[in-house]
Amino acid sequence: MDAKKKKKKKWIIALCIIAAIVILIIAGIANLRKKAMAMLENMTSTETATVEYRDLVSTVSATGTIVGAEEQTVKSTLSGVVVENVLVEVGDTVSEGDVLCEFETKTLEEKLDNAKNSDAENSLTTAYNVESAEQALADAQNEYQREISNLEGAIDRARHDYEVAGVNLQNARTTYENNPTEQNHSSLYTAETNANNAFNTYDQALDNLESQKVKLQEAIEKAEYDLKLARIKNENNSAEQSVENAKEDMEKSQVTAPISGVVTSVGVAAGDTYSGGTIAVIDDISRYEVSAKVDEYDVGKIQEGQRVVIRTNATGDTEFAGKVISIAPRSTSNSGSSSSSGGSSSLGSSSSQDVTYEVRISLEDQNDVFKLDMTAKTSIVTEEKDHVLTVPYDAVQTDEEGNAYVEVVDQDAAPVMDAASAEEDPAGDKAPEKEGSSSGQKNGKGSGPGMMPPQKGQESSTNPAIAMNTKKVPVEKGIESAYYIEVISDELEEGMEVLVPKTDSSLNDMMMMMGQRGAMGGF
């Protein structure tokens, strides 16, 4: 009897557990259904915006540093001489021709005296063996040919890899566009990474070639100079030339400033043996400029003469006028991007280095607060138009043939109640209007007139219950700002209402809900 009671009790407990699970499942399904209906209502809602005249400005934003109008690195052609005096320090102001540094002249004077004495000339001849100098020159030339050949081979290989990566990227992009699956997207991402890496390798190979050319050429020039000097010393009738060379070296014992400005770097100290390199760096700060780095995707929009608005951390919100004065013909590679105009990268963001170009900007208004290397935030105005017909950027759609158009609301036609709303609201009451809907936004286009999103209740409206009668109107796209775009059409007038299509975010959320639905066994 007790065994039967225990068995009955177990059955009761099991049934209670099953009932609890069923209740939880039903509650979960109801919650998912509620969320899905809310998403569906949002997806089927209608948002409109008003066609208006605005002043539009399109800019490229770039961060840079304040630099002097000119910078000169001071070096000497002398080598193996001792620095006797350094007459400047960092921060000193110098004028063109001021002495920066002096080398000891004892050795130079001895060379000059010996050049004037034929016996001394003959004694110096043994120190400069023509044969060894010729061999040194030949070795330097052979080293140049060998290294350059190796580097050019590396460039050819890198160029080939880059071209192959480009073809693979194009194929991957085409495949993804034709069949946008997750696997094809992964393949496209890999192809983009490979293309970026191949480009960086190719660019680095080019840089290596240029730097090695300079280094090897310097070695050849030194060997040529040594050979020339050895031959001069070896010729009995070369005393006059030797004297001239020694005099030139004596004149070089004093290093002078090539420009007027401020000493920003000193590379030698008294007692050093100078064997080449930087003696000092001088910056002309009589007027300042801005050196900005512009991303490769934006640099094509930049032109000399474009006006620039500049701000610095030191001067707060004060704006200074500037003008683009030069654009570097060759890029520099930096980690992180320095400019923005809202454009998307065709190769994604897989590269660890971004290719940028230096853009020099004049500062039309000088300020005593400016210092070298201060951070400058610039907005380069690439295009601007006044009083043009505009709509929110997302209101412009593209048909299958690539033609741009907008959907204009027919104000004369009666609105049509959609089926879903008719079932839920048989009386035909309108859903309350939704305030504060904003137009489509493209980040980073800059600031200025026509670049702010619609203010709350200003021009856009949303009604999930009404299906509006619309007409497609072909347009030609003009200047773009952060939020608005110029539209050119004889059929558009100020005050018309246009549809602003929903983004893909609601559809993505619905797809996620569908996945949960499958896991729960249906709504």
Side-chain angles (χ1 to χ4, degrees):
M1 189 67 179
D2 291 339
K4 288 183 178 180
K5 288 182 178 180
K6 289 181 179 180
K7 187 175 182 181
K8 184 177 180 181
K9 185 176 181 181
K10 290 180 178 179
W11 274 105
I12 293 172
I13 294 173
L15 290 173
C16 291
I17 292 173
I18 293 172
I21 292 173
V22 171
I23 291 172
L24 289 174
I25 291 174
I26 293 173
I29 291 173
N31 186 47
L32 289 176
R33 179 188 293 272
K34 183 178 179 180
K35 290 181 179 179
M37 292 302 295
M39 289 181 184
L40 182 61
E41 179 179 341
N42 183 56
M43 290 170 62
T44 57
S45 63
T46 303
E47 184 176 331
T48 65
T50 305
V51 179
E52 291 183 356
Y53 280 104
R54 291 185 177 85
D55 298 338
L56 294 188
V57 178
S58 181
T59 65
V60 170
S61 298
T63 300
T65 55
I66 291 181
V67 297
E70 183 181 2
E71 182 179 272
Q72 287 282 348
T73 299
V74 183
K75 298 182 179 181
S76 175
T77 57
L78 294 178
S79 181
V81 292
V82 177
V83 178
E84 185 173 40
N85 292 311
V86 179
L87 305 178
V88 294
E89 297 179 347
V90 173
D92 287 351
T93 300
V94 296
S95 299
E96 182 179 351
D98 286 353
V99 178
L100 307 177
C101 166
E102 295 178 328
F103 295 118
E104 286 186 358
T105 60
K106 180 179 179 181
T107 302
L108 300 176
E109 289 171 350
E110 288 177 354
K111 287 183 179 181
L112 180 58
D113 291 340
N114 290 336
K116 294 176 180 178
N117 187 298
S118 59
D119 291 337
E121 180 67 28
N122 291 334
S123 67
L124 287 173
T125 300
T126 58
Y128 292 91
N129 187 285
V130 174
E131 184 177 352
S132 63
E134 289 176 341
Q135 185 60 49
L137 176 58
D139 291 342
Q141 291 171 337
N142 291 335
E143 178 68 11
Y144 181 91
Q145 296 296 333
R146 183 170 56 255
E147 284 295 319
I148 296 304
S149 178
N150 292 337
L151 290 171
E152 287 177 344
I155 289 175
D156 290 340
R157 292 189 295 273
R159 183 188 297 112
H160 174 266
D161 292 343
Y162 179 53
E163 291 172 351
V164 171
V167 172
N168 293 337
L169 174 59
Q170 185 60 44
N171 292 338
R173 183 178 289 115
T174 301
T175 301
Y176 178 72
E177 290 174 352
N178 293 334
N179 186 18
T181 64
E182 183 176 352
Q183 181 178 357
N184 289 339
H185 182 270
S186 177
S187 298
L188 175 58
Y189 181 84
T190 301
E192 290 173 344
T193 301
N194 293 338
N196 275 323
N197 293 338
F199 174 80
N200 291 336
T201 301
Y202 175 58
D203 192 57
Q204 185 61 51
L206 292 174
D207 289 340
N208 291 341
L209 175 62
E210 293 303 319
S211 62
Q212 281 298 101
K213 276 185 177 180
V214 173
K215 180 179 178 181
L216 295 170
Q217 187 61 38
E218 287 178 350
I220 291 176
E221 290 174 357
K222 185 178 183 304
E224 289 174 340
Y225 177 79
D226 292 344
L227 177 58
K228 178 181 177 181
L229 186 59
R231 285 173 175 170
I232 291 174
K233 304 291 184 184
N234 196 44
E235 295 175 2
N236 292 330
N237 58 355
S238 61
E240 184 177 351
Q241 184 61 47
S242 296
V243 171
E244 292 300 320
N245 291 339
K247 286 181 177 179
E248 289 179 3
D249 287 347
M250 280 293 297
E251 292 174 357
K252 295 175 183 176
S253 65
Q254 283 192 332
V255 180
T256 58
I259 62 171
S260 300
V262 173
V263 178
T264 55
S265 176
V266 175
V268 295
D272 291 348
T273 298
Y274 181 76
S275 299
T278 299
I279 295 173
V281 177
I282 301 174
D283 283 273
D284 175 11
I285 60 171
S286 60
R287 57 187 177 89
Y288 288 104
E289 296 176 358
V290 175
S291 173
K293 302 297 184 183
V294 176
D295 192 276
E296 60 181 321
Y297 304 110
D298 295 327
V299 73
K301 307 171 187 175
I302 310 300
Q303 296 179 5
E304 292 183 10
Q306 289 175 334
R307 73 179 183 91
V308 185
V309 178
I310 304 162
R311 291 189 299 169
T312 70
N313 293 336
T315 53
D317 293 332
T318 303
E319 294 183 345
F320 299 91
K323 184 181 295 184
V324 176
I325 56 177
S326 69
I327 304 165
R330 185 171 187 138
S331 67
T332 57
S333 296
N334 298 305
S335 57
S337 178
S338 300
S339 71
S340 173
S341 67
S344 60
S345 167
S346 61
L347 294 179
S349 56
S350 57
S351 174
S352 60
Q353 289 189 327
D354 293 318
V355 177
T356 59
Y357 291 79
E358 182 188 21
V359 174
R360 277 290 187 118
I361 301 167
S362 66
L363 272 162
E364 306 297 320
D365 306 315
Q366 301 295 315
N367 191 292
D368 292 338
V369 179
F370 291 158
K371 301 292 182 185
L372 294 173
D373 299 327
M374 277 185 173
T375 300
K377 301 172 184 177
T378 68
S379 294
I380 304 170
V381 178
T382 57
E383 192 177 4
E384 54 187 328
K385 285 187 178 181
D386 296 336
H387 197 66
V388 293
L389 213 54
T390 66
V391 296
Y393 186 85
D394 285 347
V396 179
Q397 306 176 60
T398 305
D399 61 22
E400 296 178 354
E401 297 179 356
N403 300 315
Y405 69 92
V406 295
E407 291 189 73
V408 177
V409 177
D410 189 349
Q411 302 289 352
D412 297 329
V416 179
M417 182 77 68
D418 61 34
S421 301
E423 292 179 3
E424 295 183 6
D425 188 7
D429 293 336
K430 284 179 29 176
E433 184 171 315
K434 185 176 180 181
E435 291 187 343
S437 299
S438 66
S439 65
Q441 175 180 350
K442 292 183 75 176
N443 296 330
K445 289 282 185 181
S447 61
M451 293 193 179
M452 297 304 294
Q455 300 300 311
K456 184 174 182 181
Q458 175 185 342
E459 64 171 82
S460 60
S461 61
T462 305
N463 194 328
I466 302 299
M468 298 183 180
N469 291 303
T470 62
K471 178 180 69 173
K472 281 188 178 181
V473 174
V475 296
E476 179 183 345
K477 294 191 289 187
I479 181 175
E480 300 175 14
S481 71
Y483 304 99
Y484 297 100
I485 182 171
E486 176 190 7
V487 285
I488 304 169
S489 173
D490 293 337
E491 300 181 47
L492 282 184
E493 296 179 358
E494 184 179 18
M496 286 183 171
E497 293 290 320
V498 295
L499 292 188
V500 181
K502 285 291 182 179
T503 62
D504 294 335
S505 59
S506 298
L507 180 59
N508 292 335
D509 292 342
M510 178 60 75
M511 294 301 293
M512 291 179 62
M513 289 294 297
M514 292 295 291
Q516 296 183 30
R517 173 183 177 273
M520 293 296 293
F523 289 114

